[in-house]
Amino acid sequence: MEEEFRALLKRVRAELVSPAEFAAYEKLLALVRSDTRAARDELAEVLVAPERPLWAREIAAFALGSKGDRRAFETLVLLLNYREPVRCATAAHVLARLRDPRTAKAAAALATNSLRTAYAVYPVRLLTELRAPESVPALLATLERLLAARDHVWPVARACVEGLGILGDRRAEATLVAAREHEKLRPAAIAALARLGRRGVTP
């Protein structure tokens, strides 16, 4: 069992309060451990069954997504933009391994949604990891909007700067130069520009 899944289970157990919840948790773990086609079908039903708790859907989505079962996709995308960063991180981890062709488009939509900017760090990081055609345009659009906004949402802006540096696309150069003018982004922007080959540029 991988470390990320152990961390998920430890977190979920801390949320449980009633004997019924503990029983449901153990039943879910038994399905995950059996890893048969029938068990995976039952886990997929957990994702869409009404009134199932979020923690149950999260465990089922992690288990299915880690096995490459694309039935987990919609739940993982929901969790990728959730209000709790730990759940976003878990979803991003699995989505990066699921290799669903819809992932980059979904992550780009979340990253560029101005109404959900506060939750965009993990979609941005996922786009960086995916290195998809959507990655650079989405990171650029998000960063340019944040640089022009009153509320720069520094963690998201920094993730965009770092991601653009990792992706190494020259289209990002002008925007990274603009980001360098902001004190909180300057170190990351300088490092990103260096990755683009602008090592001779001074801060």
Side-chain angles (χ1 to χ4, degrees):
M1 190 180 296
E2 62 179 300
E3 189 60 37
E4 288 81 2
F5 194 50
R6 290 194 192 94
L8 166 59
L9 296 181
K10 182 177 179 181
R11 170 165 55 81
V12 167
R13 279 191 65 87
E15 297 175 7
L16 306 180
V17 293
S18 70
E21 286 179 325
F22 279 101
Y25 171 83
E26 292 298 335
K27 181 179 178 181
L28 203 57
L29 277 194
L31 291 174
V32 173
R33 291 180 179 126
S34 68
D35 194 29
T36 63
R37 182 172 180 174
R40 289 193 293 273
D41 287 344
E42 285 195 54
L43 289 171
E45 289 178 10
V46 170
L47 301 178
V48 297
E51 299 182 6
R52 293 307 294 264
L54 183 63
W55 61 261
R57 287 186 285 153
E58 186 178 12
I59 289 174
F62 192 112
L64 291 171
S66 297
K67 296 292 183 180
D69 191 321
R70 292 178 178 175
R71 289 176 289 183
F73 175 78
E74 285 81 4
T75 299
L76 290 169
V77 170
L78 170 71
L79 292 167
L80 179 65
N81 202 229
Y82 202 68
R83 64 180 178 271
E84 296 176 53
V86 67
R87 287 196 155 105
C88 300
T90 300
H93 171 80
V94 182
L95 281 166
R97 287 146 186 82
L98 181 58
R99 301 188 182 279
D100 189 301
R102 299 169 291 176
T103 299
K105 185 176 180 180
L110 295 176
T112 57
N113 185 344
S114 61
L115 299 178
R116 303 290 292 174
T117 301
Y119 309 110
V121 167
Y122 287 97
V124 165
R125 290 178 179 169
L126 177 58
L127 284 166
T128 302
E129 185 173 355
L130 293 174
R131 295 180 175 269
E134 295 89 347
S135 297
V136 170
L139 267 59
L140 274 175
T142 301
L143 180 57
E144 288 167 359
R145 173 168 52 81
L146 291 176
L147 292 178
R150 264 186 174 181
D151 183 0
H152 301 296
V153 194
W154 297 115
V156 178
R158 190 176 301 108
C160 288
V161 169
E162 293 168 350
L164 290 168
I166 291 169
L167 294 171
D169 192 304
R170 301 290 296 191
R171 289 176 292 175
E173 185 173 322
T175 304
L176 289 172
V177 169
R180 193 184 57 193
E181 299 305 310
H182 295 265
E183 183 179 354
K184 291 187 177 181
L185 298 178
R186 189 170 298 136
I190 291 171
L193 286 165
R195 284 176 173 263
L196 266 62
R198 291 177 57 84
R199 292 178 173 80
V201 176
T202 56

